[in-house]
Amino acid sequence: MIKIASHILPQDSEFSVSPTLGINQLAHEKRRAGEEVFHLGFGESPFPAHPILEKALCDNAHQTGYINTSGLPNLRNKARHYHTTKFNLDPDRYECMIAPGSKLLLLAIQASVEGDILLPNPSWVSYAPQARMLQQNVSWIPTTLDETGFRIDADELKRTISVARRANQNPTKLLLNTPNNPTGLVLPADDMKAIANVCREEDILIISDEIYAQTQYDQNHVSIARYAPERTVITGGLSKHLSLGGWRLGMSLIPKDISGLFMAMNNYASESWSAASSPIQYAAIQAYEDISELEAYTQQCAAVHQLATGYLAQQLEKLGVTCPTAQGAFYLYPNFENYREQLAAKGIKGSSDLSRYLAQHYNIMALPGFCFGASPEVLTLRLAPCDYDGAAVLTAREAEPKSKPDAFVNKHMPNIAGAAKGFGQFIADVTGKKVKAA
């Protein structure tokens, strides 16, 4: 009998694939069946590709040859200088690698560095499964989520490392993501400094997933590499701030101080994805040029994300649901603990129950906090308020710059407004009281 490796099978029975992809498929199936769906489950920036980048891709459609595994030299150089200049780092300290999306780079880094991984709780859905696929252990670090950001206490990090080592594990890597998926919150600079000191003392590699860096609403992203450049690998790409998820173009900055890491990742890539798409790589050079139109476009899109997340967070808070206001990206991480007793009466005892109930009864698609590392009984959800026509919304925002957020969302983002009303109806049904979100 052929036996499938258990560490590759899904950990959550709700989905047969990555939870984000699974809920996206479910939402599309419901829509094809004619159902009205409020899709908050899939974090895909909905804006169109900028015309400069569309033209660049068309102009390079003829590029059909294989490119070196680590990426087109000119693109690597442009991406390295773009990120290090923007985030005040020394370009000479880094090698750059290009891949078909940053997810593969994260996998390659984990595979290339021996030992187990440390993850903040909550963390993006693919970090822990990647570690399990590599048969590595995961240690979860407690966090605090509030209006000041996504907080990691340095003493908690030290304690987590110590506990893992006493359990005969070998924590050697810490994977951080700021602005953070699933919370939409930012890791404060003071926390970064303290974390960097702990990682230096304990000889821990920092993997900094900065895919949402340019969606930070205040446009003031700080990389933890500023405080530990010799041991911080950075990953990023074009999918979030330029809405180019389908291009599958990721990049990584790899410190030269870490001897052998770039070569190990290159070897891993050569035996797996070979190289990122040639036309995409040539076109992406434009994305890493200092082009004012692209910078302005990025800020316009981030402002719309801020409007959508701010609106929905406010509506949930009105309903008595704890929901810190996002500081970047396009996510919210509400907690329904205030209604635990009433939810339990409906058979809702954890985040998977909550997600399933909302999908079945209100057609609100949201991922359970369980998928992001939360204990099953914690009543959290990850919401992605991106379910609107990005091109139409940008046009409307330009035409109505003084429109109040509530009025604008109700007029131009009907699915976001509909989700808020759906949550209001859900809380009313659960409590037996009439409540109103919007």
Side-chain angles (χ1 to χ4, degrees), residues 345-358:
K346 295 281 187 180
I348 302 170
K349 298 181 180 179
S351 62
S352 290
D353 296 334
L354 180 59
S355 173
R356 189 183 307 111
Y357 194 93
L358 287 166

Side-chain angles (χ1 to χ4, degrees), residues 198-218:
V198 171
C199 289
R200 193 173 284 115
E201 292 167 5
E202 302 290 344
D203 197 20
I204 301 292
L205 172 74
I206 302 169
I207 307 168
S208 185
D209 178 1
E210 301 185 19
I211 193 72
Y212 297 100
Q214 293 179 79
T215 68
Q216 191 162 319
Y217 302 154
D218 64 7

Side-chain angles (χ1 to χ4, degrees), residues 152-214:
I152 299 174
D153 183 79
D155 290 336
E156 283 286 0
L157 173 58
K158 289 177 100 171
R159 185 191 66 78
T160 304
I161 294 168
S162 178
V163 168
R165 287 173 176 164
R166 288 201 302 270
N168 295 319
Q169 296 180 14
N170 181 28
T172 60
K173 296 163 283 193
L174 167 66
L175 208 172
L176 300 175
N177 171 223
T178 180
N180 175 263
N181 180 0
T183 67
L185 301 176
V186 171
L187 187 63
D190 287 346
D191 287 21
M192 290 188 196
K193 292 177 188 176
I195 290 166
N197 287 335
V198 171
C199 289
R200 193 173 284 115
E201 292 167 5
E202 302 290 344
D203 197 20
I204 301 292
L205 172 74
I206 302 169
I207 307 168
S208 185
D209 178 1
E210 301 185 19
I211 193 72
Y212 297 100
Q214 293 179 79

